[in-house]
Amino acid sequence: MLLLATVLLFGLASAQKVTKMTSCSTDTNQLRIDCKYEPAGEASLCKYTQGDQELGASNGTKDAATKSRTTVSFVDKNNCLLIFDNLPDGKNNFTCNIVLKETVSMTTVVEKKSLPPCSAAWSTSLQRCTGVLLGVSALPLVLQFSGLL
C-alpha cells in the first residue's frame, strides 16, 4: 500500500501543466502574453493559437496571415512568450500549447481596452515586495535599539 501511494505521489508531483498565462500591452502597443509551465525544463515546442488560426510557434512556424505580426520564443526554462501586433478590438481567445513529454495547453481571454501596460505588472510585483524590503532594512535599527547590536 505504501509503495502504491509513493508511486502515485511521484506521478502527480511530476505532472506536466501550464500554470499561468498573463497578458499586457507593451510600450509600442503590442500584446505580450507569457505562458508559464511546469515542470521547468527544455520544452520541445511552444505554439500559440487564436481560435483555429495558428499565430506562431517557437520552431519558426507561422500562419501566412500573421507572419509579420507575431513572435513566439522561450524566455526562460518555464516561460513561452508571444508578442502580437495589431490586436483587434473586442474579446480574443489565445491558447498556449506546450510540448514536453505530452502536449498541455491553457486559454486566456484578452480584451484590448482592458489590457494593463506591461510596466504595471512590474510595478505590482515591486509593491508586493515593499513590505519585506522595509522590514529587512529596518532590522538593524530595531536590533540597535533593543541592545542586541
Side-chain angles (χ1 to χ4, degrees):
M1 184 68 173
L2 181 62
L3 180 62
L4 179 62
T6 305
V7 169
L8 287 174
L9 181 63
F10 282 114
L12 292 174
S14 64
Q16 182 181 321
K17 62 184 173 180
V18 175
T19 57
K20 184 178 181 183
M21 286 181 74
T22 56
S23 55
C24 60
S25 176
T26 67
D27 305 8
T28 56
N29 293 321
Q30 296 172 308
L31 169 66
R32 175 187 173 130
I33 299 179
D34 288 277
C35 179
K36 305 254 183 180
Y37 58 91
E38 291 178 355
E42 297 294 327
S44 59
L45 180 69
C46 171
K47 179 173 68 171
Y48 277 93
T49 57
Q50 182 183 15
D52 294 334
Q53 182 180 29
E54 183 175 320
L55 297 176
S58 58
N59 64 0
T61 306
K62 293 183 181 182
D63 185 271
T66 60
K67 188 174 186 173
S68 64
R69 297 174 30 198
T70 62
T71 304
V72 176
S73 59
F74 289 106
V75 290
D76 285 321
K77 290 191 183 265
N78 72 331
N79 188 10
C80 181
L81 172 68
L82 168 72
I83 301 292
F84 184 68
D85 289 335
N86 303 324
L87 178 66
D89 291 329
K91 293 182 179 181
N92 297 277
N93 291 331
F94 289 90
T95 301
C96 170
N97 299 287
I98 301 290
V99 180
L100 285 162
K101 294 178 183 172
E102 58 188 67
T103 301
V104 292
S105 63
M106 181 182 275
T107 300
T108 188
V109 177
V110 175
E111 188 169 13
K112 187 176 185 175
K113 68 180 181 181
S114 62
L115 269 177
C118 292
S119 59
W122 171 250
S123 174
T124 302
S125 297
L126 192 59
Q127 287 172 2
R128 289 182 186 156
C129 296
T130 303
V132 173
L133 265 153
L134 184 60
V136 170
S137 63
L139 188 60
L141 187 61
V142 170
L143 291 175
Q144 187 175 10
F145 281 122
S146 66
L148 296 174
L149 190 63

